[in-house]
Coordinates of all heavy atoms in Angstrom, one line a residue:
L70 N 13.4 9.9 5.9 CA 12.6 8.7 5.8 C 11.6 8.7 4.7 O 11.4 7.7 4.0 CB 11.8 8.5 7.2 CG 12.6 8.0 8.3 CD1 11.9 8.2 9.6 CD2 13.0 6.5 8.1
F71 N 11.0 9.8 4.4 CA 10.0 10.0 3.3 C 10.8 9.8 2.0 O 10.3 9.0 1.1 CB 9.3 11.3 3.4 CG 8.7 11.8 2.1 CD1 7.9 11.0 1.3 CD2 8.9 13.1 1.7 CE1 7.4 11.4 0.1 CE2 8.3 13.6 0.5 CZ 7.6 12.8 -0.3
H73 N 13.5 8.2 1.3 CA 14.0 6.8 1.2 C 12.9 5.9 0.9 O 13.1 4.8 0.4 CB 14.8 6.4 2.4 CG 16.2 6.9 2.4 ND1 17.2 6.3 1.7 CD2 16.7 8.0 3.0 CE1 18.4 7.0 1.9 NE2 18.1 8.0 2.7
C74 N 11.7 6.3 1.3 CA 10.5 5.4 1.1 C 10.0 5.4 -0.4 O 9.3 4.5 -0.7 CB 9.4 5.9 2.0 SG 8.2 4.6 2.5
T75 N 10.5 6.3 -1.1 CA 10.1 6.4 -2.6 C 11.0 5.4 -3.3 O 12.0 4.9 -2.8 CB 10.2 7.8 -3.1 OG1 11.6 8.2 -3.0 CG2 9.3 8.8 -2.4
S76 N 10.8 5.2 -4.6 CA 11.6 4.3 -5.4 C 13.0 5.1 -5.6 O 13.0 6.3 -5.6 CB 10.9 4.0 -6.7 OG 11.0 5.2 -7.5
L79 N 12.7 7.9 -7.9 CA 12.1 9.2 -7.4 C 13.0 9.8 -6.3 O 12.7 11.0 -6.0 CB 10.7 8.9 -6.8 CG 9.7 8.4 -7.8 CD1 8.4 8.1 -7.1 CD2 9.4 9.5 -8.8
A107 N 4.2 14.6 0.2 CA 4.1 13.2 -0.2 C 2.8 12.9 -1.1 O 2.9 12.2 -2.1 CB 4.1 12.3 1.0
G111 N 2.1 11.5 -5.0 CA 1.3 10.3 -5.2 C 1.4 9.3 -4.1 O 1.0 8.2 -4.3
M112 N 1.8 9.7 -2.9 CA 1.9 8.8 -1.8 C 0.8 9.1 -0.8 O 0.7 10.2 -0.4 CB 3.3 8.9 -1.1 CG 3.5 7.9 0.1 SD 5.0 8.2 1.0 CE 6.2 7.7 -0.3
D113 N -0.1 8.1 -0.5 CA -1.2 8.3 0.4 C -0.7 8.4 1.8 O 0.4 8.0 2.2 CB -2.3 7.3 0.2 CG -1.9 5.9 0.6 OD1 -1.1 5.7 1.6 OD2 -2.4 4.9 0.0
R114 N -1.5 8.9 2.7 CA -1.2 9.2 4.1 C -0.8 7.9 4.8 O 0.2 7.9 5.6 CB -2.3 9.9 4.8 CG -1.9 10.4 6.2 CD -0.8 11.3 6.3 NE -0.3 11.6 7.6 CZ -0.3 12.7 8.2 NH1 -0.9 13.8 7.7 NH2 0.2 12.9 9.4
A115 N -1.5 6.8 4.5 CA -1.2 5.5 5.2 C 0.2 5.1 4.9 O 1.0 4.7 5.8 CB -2.2 4.5 4.9
K116 N 0.6 5.2 3.6 CA 2.0 4.7 3.2 C 3.0 5.7 3.8 O 4.0 5.3 4.3 CB 2.1 4.7 1.7 CG 3.5 4.3 1.3 CD 3.6 3.9 -0.2 CE 5.0 3.3 -0.4 NZ 5.9 3.5 -1.2
F117 N 2.7 7.0 3.8 CA 3.6 8.0 4.3 C 3.8 7.7 5.8 O 5.0 7.7 6.3 CB 3.0 9.4 4.1 CG 3.8 10.5 4.8 CD1 4.9 11.0 4.2 CD2 3.4 11.0 6.0 CE1 5.7 12.0 4.9 CE2 4.1 12.0 6.7 CZ 5.3 12.5 6.1
D118 N 2.7 7.5 6.6 CA 2.9 7.2 8.0 C 3.7 6.0 8.2 O 4.5 5.9 9.2 CB 1.5 7.1 8.6 CG 0.8 8.4 8.8 OD1 1.4 9.5 8.7 OD2 -0.5 8.5 8.9
A119 N 3.5 5.0 7.4 CA 4.3 3.7 7.5 C 5.8 4.0 7.3 O 6.7 3.5 7.9 CB 3.8 2.7 6.6
C120 N 6.1 4.9 6.3 CA 7.4 5.3 6.0 C 8.1 5.9 7.3 O 9.2 5.6 7.6 CB 7.5 6.3 4.9 SG 7.1 5.6 3.3
L121 N 7.4 6.8 7.9 CA 7.9 7.5 9.0 C 8.1 6.6 10.2 O 8.9 6.9 11.1 CB 7.1 8.8 9.4 CG 7.7 10.1 8.8 CD1 7.8 10.0 7.3 CD2 6.8 11.3 9.2
A122 N 7.3 5.6 10.3 CA 7.4 4.6 11.4 C 8.4 3.5 11.2 O 8.6 2.7 12.1 CB 6.0 4.0 11.6
N123 N 9.0 3.5 10.0 CA 10.0 2.4 9.7 C 11.3 2.6 10.5 O 12.2 3.3 10.1 CB 10.2 2.4 8.2 CG 11.1 1.3 7.8 OD1 11.9 0.7 8.5 ND2 11.0 0.9 6.5

Side-chain angles (χ1 to χ4, degrees):
L70 282 166
F71 162 46
H73 282 275
C74 204
T75 61
S76 73
L79 293 176
M112 183 184 291
D113 68 34
R114 185 63 191 245
K116 179 166 191 235
F117 174 80
D118 288 342
C120 292
L121 264 56
N123 186 335

